[in-house]
Amino acid sequence: MKLFFKKIGRGIVKGAIYIYCKVVHRAEVIGKENIIKDEKFIFCGNHRNYLDPPLIVCTVGRHVRFMAKEDLRKNPFFAFLGVIFDGIYVKRDSKDVTALKTTLKALKDGESIALFPEGTRNGLEKNEKVKDGAAFFALRTGTRVIPVGISGGLKAFQKVKIVYGKPIDLSKYNEMYKNKETEKQALEEASELIMNSIVELAK
């Protein structure tokens, strides 16, 4: 029963966010045909501002569990969204084993997740190193990655565009990843491929 009411609440919140994004930010969605029905995915987008996670959540067309920093729980609104959408919270700058296990289990159970490889807002502009979490989860579970490019204005009534790219299959890195000597290289190359795809879509 609890899950039933959560699904209803999730639908209402997603509808409200979608209307807000369409009216206030004139959101345009491209590439929805790339999201294959009944296949789990790891959605990876560029991170510009607070609108990015809700924009993906309301346009992706399925339930997606977002990975987000633990600090967001301090904000009542984001804490509420975390409960409604089964958010996975990660402690910044630490080896969060719980979040790691939760994410791997979600993917193995057929759920989709979403995260930002930049790790923080405008990470590339801040010269932050691209995080390898998406590549790690993809290679560990055999899940394909869908790059998501978000572009357009950041202020109200400036058009925002969200583009879902074609799924990226990282299986060519499997052998490298399984070898301890080349594991790090596999994660770095896979992460670079994912981020480059996102940047192209966000142009």
Side-chain angles (χ1 to χ4, degrees), residues 20-28 48-52 55 122 150-161:
Y20 170 81
C21 289
K22 288 294 287 184
V23 174
V24 179
H25 294 282
R26 300 166 57 206
E28 178 186 5
R48 309 182 312 155
N49 66 359
Y50 74 94
L51 183 66
D52 302 328
L55 190 59
N122 300 308
I150 304 173
S151 60
L154 296 173
K155 297 180 180 180
F157 304 111
Q158 292 181 334
K159 188 174 182 178
V160 171
K161 184 169 68 173

Side-chain angles (χ1 to χ4, degrees), residues 7-21:
K7 286 183 177 179
I8 292 177
R10 189 181 296 153
I12 293 172
V13 173
K14 283 177 70 173
I17 293 174
Y18 182 78
I19 292 172
Y20 170 81
C21 289

Side-chain angles (χ1 to χ4, degrees), residues 64-84:
V64 174
R65 298 186 67 178
F66 244 101
M67 297 191 73
K69 60 183 181 180
E70 178 77 22
D71 295 349
L72 288 178
R73 278 182 166 173
K74 297 176 182 178
N75 181 301
F77 176 69
F78 287 117
F80 167 73
L81 291 181
V83 172
I84 289 291

Side-chain angles (χ1 to χ4, degrees), residues 28-193:
E28 178 186 5
V29 185
I30 298 172
K32 284 287 290 291
E33 67 276 5
N34 292 319
I35 306 174
I36 301 168
K37 187 178 180 181
D38 298 329
E39 180 177 349
K40 65 182 178 184
F41 290 109
I42 298 173
F43 294 90
C44 296
N46 56 310
H47 196 11
R48 309 182 312 155
N49 66 359
Y50 74 94
L51 183 66
D52 302 328
L55 190 59
I56 293 176
V57 164
C58 75
T59 61
V60 73
R62 63 173 64 188
H63 177 45
V64 174
R65 298 186 67 178
F66 244 101
M67 297 191 73
K69 60 183 181 180
E70 178 77 22
D71 295 349
L72 288 178
R73 278 182 166 173
K74 297 176 182 178
N75 181 301
F77 176 69
F78 287 117
F80 167 73
L81 291 181
V83 172
I84 289 291
F85 293 105
D86 300 320
I88 302 171
Y89 290 99
V90 182
K91 295 177 181 177
R92 188 180 290 275
D93 300 323
S94 70
K95 296 290 184 180
D96 193 340
V97 178
T98 301
L100 192 71
K101 289 182 177 179
T102 300
T103 305
L104 288 173
K105 185 178 186 304
L107 289 169
K108 288 175 181 177
D109 288 345
E111 295 185 272
S112 293
I113 66 165
L115 52 83
F116 299 113
E118 290 172 277
T120 186
R121 281 181 289 182
N122 300 308
L124 292 182
E125 293 181 14
K126 298 174 183 175
N127 294 318
E128 295 276 346
K129 183 179 179 181
V130 176
K131 304 297 185 291
D132 62 12
F136 169 78
F137 292 126
L139 290 171
R140 280 291 292 268
T141 63
T143 306
R144 294 201 292 174
V145 174
I146 287 191
V148 185
I150 304 173
S151 60
L154 296 173
K155 297 180 180 180
F157 304 111
Q158 292 181 334
K159 188 174 182 178
V160 171
K161 184 169 68 173
I162 178 168
V163 183
Y164 291 97
K166 294 182 179 180
I168 301 173
D169 185 348
L170 299 177
S171 59
K172 65 180 180 180
Y173 297 106
N174 283 346
E175 292 305 314
M176 286 177 62
Y177 178 69
K178 292 175 183 177
N179 188 325
K180 284 295 180 182
E181 295 181 0
T182 55
E183 177 184 0
K184 183 178 179 181
Q185 181 185 349
L187 290 172
E188 288 179 350
E189 290 186 11
S191 298
E192 184 177 359
L193 173 61

